[in-house]
Amino acid sequence: MKIFVDADACPVVRITEKIAKKYSIPVILLCDTNHLLNSDYSEIKIIGAGADAVDIALVNLCGKGDLVVTQDYGVAAMALGKGAYGIHQSGRWYTDDNIESMLNERYMSKKARMASAKNHLKGPKKRTGEDDKRFAESLEKLILKIRENNND
C-alpha cells in the first residue's frame, strides 16, 4: 500500500505523513508547479500546471489497495474504479456505496453556482483542531481496515 495525496492546498498533509510514518507506509505528494512543498518523509511529485494535470497523474499512479487523500470527488471515483481506497480531508471515506451521491451533490452545487448571479457560494468554514482530530482518527481506521482486507 502507498498513500497518494492530492496535495494542492491540502490541509491534512502533515497529519497524513505522521500516521503513515507510524505504519511505515510510503506517501507520495502530488502538486502542480504553482505550489511549493517540502517533506522529510514523503516523495514529492511536481506535475506540470494544467487544469486537471495533478488529478490525472494521481489516478494514473495509484492502484489496487492504495489509499488516496483528496477532496475531489471525481478523483476519488476514478481511484475507487482502480481498486484504491479514498478519504476526504474531512475524514469521510469514499466508497462504492456513497460516491455516486457525492458526485450528484457536486453536480447540483455547480449547477446552483452557475445559476447564481454572483457565480460564487459561501465556501467551507475554517478548519479546526477538531476537524484535524476527526481526520486523523478516520485515516488510521481506514489504514487498519485496508491492512485487514489485504491479509484476507
Side-chain angles (χ1 to χ4, degrees), residues 7-86:
D8 288 340
C10 179
V12 296
V13 169
R14 298 300 171 233
I15 298 167
T16 301
E17 287 180 319
K18 181 179 178 183
I19 293 170
K21 191 173 187 178
K22 175 180 175 181
Y23 291 98
S24 300
I25 302 169
V27 175
I28 297 91
L29 305 175
L30 289 91
C31 67
D32 66 26
T33 55
N34 296 316
H35 293 86
L36 292 175
L37 293 178
N38 57 44
S39 175
D40 293 332
Y41 184 75
S42 299
E43 176 184 349
I44 298 172
K45 291 194 177 283
I46 299 172
I47 311 301
D52 296 317
V54 171
D55 299 344
I56 292 166
L58 189 151
V59 171
N60 284 335
L61 290 169
C62 76
K64 184 177 171 98
D66 288 331
L67 176 53
V68 172
V69 179
T70 183
Q71 64 180 342
D72 186 314
Y73 298 169
V75 170
M78 290 185 283
L80 288 173
K82 291 186 75 177
Y85 296 83

Side-chain angles (χ1 to χ4, degrees), residues 30-136:
L30 289 91
C31 67
D32 66 26
T33 55
N34 296 316
H35 293 86
L36 292 175
L37 293 178
N38 57 44
S39 175
D40 293 332
Y41 184 75
S42 299
E43 176 184 349
I44 298 172
K45 291 194 177 283
I46 299 172
I47 311 301
D52 296 317
V54 171
D55 299 344
I56 292 166
L58 189 151
V59 171
N60 284 335
L61 290 169
C62 76
K64 184 177 171 98
D66 288 331
L67 176 53
V68 172
V69 179
T70 183
Q71 64 180 342
D72 186 314
Y73 298 169
V75 170
M78 290 185 283
L80 288 173
K82 291 186 75 177
Y85 296 83
I87 187 170
H88 187 274
Q89 64 193 29
S90 68
R92 185 172 184 191
W93 296 357
Y94 298 108
T95 68
D96 290 333
D97 294 330
N98 70 13
I99 194 65
E100 187 173 346
S101 66
M102 293 171 94
L103 288 167
N104 283 334
E105 177 185 309
R106 180 181 77 166
Y107 170 75
M108 296 306 285
S109 292
K110 183 176 182 176
K111 197 171 174 182
R113 282 192 307 276
M114 297 300 274
S116 165
K118 293 186 275 183
N119 200 20
H120 179 73
L121 300 177
K122 185 177 176 186
K125 63 182 181 177
K126 186 174 170 87
R127 191 162 184 88
T128 66
E130 188 61 36
D131 294 327
D132 290 345
K133 182 179 176 195
R134 186 174 26 260
F135 173 79

